[in-house]
Amino acid sequence: MNRIIDAFKQAGGKIPTGGQVGGAASSLGKLLLVLGGLGFTAYGVNKSIITVQPGHIGIIYNRLSGIDENSRCPEGMNIIIPWFQRPIIYNCRTRPQLINSQSGSKDLQMVQISLRCLVRPDQNKLHVIYRTLGQDYGERVLPSIVNEITKAVIAQFNASELLTKRDFVSKQIRDALVKRAGNFNIIVEDVSITHLAFSKEYTAAVEAKQVAQQDAERARYVVDKALQEKKKIVIKAEGEAKSAELIGKAIQNNPAFIQLRRIETARDISNIISHSANKVFLDADTLQLNQLAKLTEPSPVD
C-alpha cells in the first residue's frame, strides 16, 4: 500500500502548476501567430506576382475603379495588388481563323467558299475590346462580318470569273474585311481563299459543256482531215492526168520515147531477177530484154 501512495505522489509532483500551463499556451499562441503571418505573407507575395508569356499583354482590372486604361502588364514579371487588382491576359500573336461561307454569284450560282484569315487584337485598344467584346472577340465578330463581306463581294462576279480572277476576288474581300474589322479594333493581316466549290448541278453542267466542246473539236478535226484527204486525191489525180498528158505529147512528138521506157523497164526487171535466189525461165519477149532487136527491125511501111 505504501508503494502505491509513493507512486501517486511522484506522478503528482510531475504535473505542471497553473503558472507553467499559462506560459506554454502563450508560447504556442505566438508560434501560431508567426506561422499565420508567414503564410499570409507568402500568399500575398504569390498573388501579387504574375508572369506574362511572350506574345501576350495584360490589362489591369481594379475592383474599385474598373479597367485601368493607363496600366498594362508587358511580357515578363509584373506586380499587382492582390484581391484589389486582377490581370486580364490577351494573346496578341497573329492567329489563323478558318471561316466557311455560302454565297450566291452574279449569275445566281451557289458557291461554297472557305477563307483563312490571319487576325490579332490591337494592342493599344485592349481595354476597349474587353469592355465591348470580351476575350472571345474572334468568335463574336469575325464569323458575322466575314459572311457579310463575302456575300457582298461574291455577288459582283460570275461563277467563271471567280475561278479566273481568284486573286482579285481575294484582294477585294481582304480590303473590305480590314476596314470593317478595324471598327472592332481587330487587325486583319491577310485573307486567302482556301476552298472554292460550286453546286453539283453547276459542276455537272460545266463538265457536260467541256465534253461537248471536246466532241465539237474532234468533229472539226475529222472534217478537216476529210477535206485534206479530198484535196490530196484531187491533187494526185491532177498530177496523174498531167503526167499522162505529157507522156502522150512526148510519144506523139518522138516515138522513141516508148522504146526508152521499155529499156528502163527491162533494166528494172533484170535487176530484180539477178538479185533473186529463185530460178526464172522466161523468154526475152516476156522479160522485155530483146529491145535491141526491136530497135534494129525496120519500121513498117504504109
Side-chain angles (χ1 to χ4, degrees):
M1 182 61 70
N2 293 330
R3 292 180 179 178
I4 294 174
I5 294 174
D6 293 337
F8 276 111
K9 287 182 178 181
Q10 291 179 359
K14 293 181 181 180
I15 297 175
T17 60
Q20 293 176 347
V21 173
S26 177
S27 299
L28 181 60
K30 292 180 180 180
L31 179 60
L32 293 176
L33 182 62
V34 170
L35 293 177
L38 292 176
F40 181 78
T41 302
Y43 176 80
V45 170
N46 182 41
K47 293 298 182 179
S48 63
I49 298 176
I50 61 172
T51 301
V52 179
Q53 299 297 327
H56 295 68
I57 294 179
I59 57 177
I60 302 299
Y61 171 74
N62 195 316
R63 294 183 182 270
L64 300 179
S65 59
I67 298 293
D68 190 354
E69 299 181 2
N70 298 322
S71 299
R72 294 200 309 174
C73 297
E75 299 176 0
M77 185 177 294
N78 298 269
I79 298 176
I80 61 173
I81 302 175
W83 194 83
F84 287 99
Q85 293 181 335
R86 177 169 61 89
I88 302 168
I89 308 300
Y90 272 91
N91 184 2
C92 295
R93 296 171 179 170
T94 301
R95 295 179 297 172
Q97 191 85 12
L98 185 62
I99 301 175
N100 300 319
S101 177
Q102 184 175 8
S103 306
S105 62
K106 187 177 181 180
D107 52 354
L108 303 180
Q109 297 295 333
M110 298 306 298
V111 182
Q112 294 286 344
I113 184 171
S114 298
L115 297 178
R116 190 174 186 268
C117 307
L118 298 179
V119 298
R120 62 180 177 85
D122 189 352
Q123 299 181 6
N124 299 320
K125 301 292 183 180
L126 293 179
H127 58 281
V128 179
I129 295 176
Y130 184 74
R131 282 197 182 103
T132 56
L133 301 176
Q135 290 184 286
D136 56 343
Y137 59 90
E139 289 75 10
R140 290 175 179 266
V141 175
L142 289 179
S144 59
I145 64 175
V146 168
N147 280 313
E148 180 181 357
I149 292 173
T150 302
K151 293 178 184 296
V153 174
I154 294 298
Q156 302 175 9
F157 299 91
N158 295 329
S160 59
E161 292 177 343
L162 294 176
L163 298 176
T164 57
K165 300 179 180 180
R166 185 166 181 165
D167 294 339
F168 182 73
V169 174
S170 177
K171 183 177 182 300
Q172 292 289 326
I173 295 175
R174 182 178 62 83
D175 294 341
L177 188 58
V178 168
K179 183 178 179 180
R180 185 67 182 277
N183 298 331
F184 299 93
N185 301 304
I186 299 175
I187 299 175
V188 178
E189 295 186 350
D190 186 44
V191 176
S192 59
I193 300 176
T194 59
H195 179 69
L196 187 65
F198 300 94
S199 61
K200 296 181 179 179
E201 294 79 8
Y202 180 78
T203 303
V206 171
E207 292 179 354
K209 181 180 178 181
Q210 293 295 328
V211 172
Q213 289 180 351
Q214 292 176 0
D215 293 340
E217 291 292 334
R218 187 179 296 107
R220 188 179 298 110
Y221 171 75
V222 172
V223 172
D224 293 341
K225 183 179 180 181
L227 291 176
Q228 295 297 328
E229 291 290 339
K230 181 180 178 181
K231 290 181 180 180
K232 179 180 177 182
I233 295 173
V234 171
I235 293 173
K236 182 179 179 181
E238 291 178 352
E240 292 178 350
K242 187 67 175 178
S243 177
E245 182 181 358
L246 294 176
I247 292 174
K249 290 182 178 180
I251 294 173
Q252 184 179 1
N253 297 330
N254 188 3
F257 180 78
I258 297 179
Q259 299 297 331
L260 179 61
R261 287 300 179 91
R262 288 178 178 178
I263 293 173
E264 292 177 353
T265 304
R267 183 178 59 188
D268 294 338
I269 295 174
S270 60
N271 287 331
I272 294 174
I273 294 175
S274 62
H275 292 88
S276 177
N278 299 324
K279 293 181 179 181
V280 180
F281 297 95
L282 296 174
D283 57 359
D285 292 334
T286 304
L287 296 177
Q288 301 291 330
L289 296 179
N290 56 346
Q291 299 301 319
L292 293 177
K294 293 182 179 180
L295 290 175
T296 57
E297 292 180 357
S299 59
V301 181
D302 294 336

